[in-house]
Amino acid sequence: MTLTLTVSDEVRALVPGFTHVAVEAHGLVNGPSTDASSALLDDAARRLAVRLAGRAPHEDPHMAAWRQAYTAFGSKPSRTRNSAEALAKRALSEAGLPRINLLVDAYNAISVAHLLPVGGEDIDHIEGGMHLVRATGEEDFVTVAGGEQVIEHPDAGEIVWRDEAGVTCRRWNWRQGPRTRLTEETVSGIFLLESLTPMPVADVETAAEELADLLRKFSPAAEIEIHPPVSGA
């Protein structure tokens, strides 16, 4: 892997059932959403409805585990939902899922269909490696509010993804910063699929394979590698 991913001992101790699978891709071709990527999102919403069978997203055992994890580091999961639960709620609403760009649509579709947090980062905009840590509260998180760039700071003890330049995603996978987002200029990306017990690791690997297939569909010449699951380290 060209990018180092680490999980701190503090995070492993707080949430021992955490596993992640990384899909690394180079030579990507991104672009605006298309009918094909939109159809993926519509199909994912249908798959989600079947999966839930009338339940609310937070009633799914995997989403319940994420709510417990958020509570463990001091976040209120009904206010700051993990990315999969937030997307699932949008998928089931009248508004439906947003259309962003080909790469984001692809990983959002996988997240919704499998009810699994999935994120994508532009490797070329990451400084050093990516680290899942408990924040001190002094780290910078650069975001946009009211059309202006602003700097926020995570809460002390909050679980965040960060690189050498600052926080890339707050509250684990709740809000990604614009610096490392996948844009239409992205050519290299790292896609992270994150799970907690009780989701079987094999289910995460299946989702990763499906994502890799979608990336190959949109970027036939891309070099794509699925890295082995990593449980907490």
Side-chain angles (χ1 to χ4, degrees):
M1 184 184 293
T2 60
L3 183 71
T4 301
L5 299 172
T6 63
V7 179
S8 73
D9 290 342
E10 287 185 313
V11 173
R12 289 200 301 267
L14 189 70
V15 190
F18 174 56
T19 297
H20 65 77
V21 175
V23 180
E24 185 176 357
H26 299 276
L28 294 168
V29 178
N30 200 6
S33 300
T34 62
D35 289 344
S37 69
S38 183
L40 282 177
L41 294 167
D42 290 339
D43 181 63
R46 288 190 289 268
R47 291 168 66 182
L48 173 68
V50 171
R51 186 185 196 96
L52 290 174
R55 296 173 297 164
H58 70 267
E59 295 176 297
D60 177 85
H62 190 216
M63 293 298 94
W66 275 103
R67 284 197 165 208
Q68 291 173 359
Y70 269 50
T71 299
F73 67 78
S75 184
K76 295 182 178 180
S78 60
R79 291 179 56 191
T80 55
R81 296 177 176 87
N82 75 80
S83 63
E85 184 182 334
L87 275 176
K89 285 181 65 67
R90 293 195 66 170
L92 298 174
S93 71
E94 290 186 7
L97 290 164
R99 275 59 173 166
I100 308 297
N101 58 51
L102 290 177
L103 295 179
V104 176
D105 290 353
Y107 80 68
N108 278 350
I110 296 301
S111 176
V112 169
H114 293 269
L115 207 51
L116 172 75
V118 183
E121 306 278 356
D122 189 318
I123 290 176
D124 292 331
H125 292 277
I126 295 170
E127 301 290 339
M130 289 180 58
H131 314 287
L132 189 66
V133 301
R134 300 199 71 180
T136 65
E138 300 297 322
E139 299 91 346
D140 287 345
F141 177 69
V142 180
T143 187
V144 176
E148 299 290 334
Q149 181 174 295
V150 297
I151 297 177
E152 299 178 352
H153 302 284
D155 299 327
E158 179 183 324
I159 293 180
V160 299
W161 278 104
R162 65 159 302 159
D163 64 3
E164 304 310 316
V167 173
T168 58
C169 196
R170 285 199 59 189
R171 295 195 174 99
W172 207 320
N173 48 44
W174 167 66
R175 180 188 291 171
Q176 184 184 27
R179 173 169 60 90
T180 59
R181 285 176 183 164
L182 302 178
T183 70
E184 292 179 22
E185 288 71 46
T186 297
V187 294
S188 294
I190 190 81
F191 300 84
L192 200 61
L193 296 83
E194 301 180 299
S195 72
L196 299 175
T197 304
M199 175 172 274
V201 174
D203 288 1
V204 189
E205 293 178 295
T206 296
E209 291 281 0
E210 187 177 338
L211 175 57
D213 287 344
L214 292 181
L215 296 177
R216 293 185 186 102
K217 175 182 178 181
F218 291 126
S219 300
E223 296 180 2
I224 299 169
E225 181 178 1
I226 301 174
H227 296 281
V230 178
S231 296

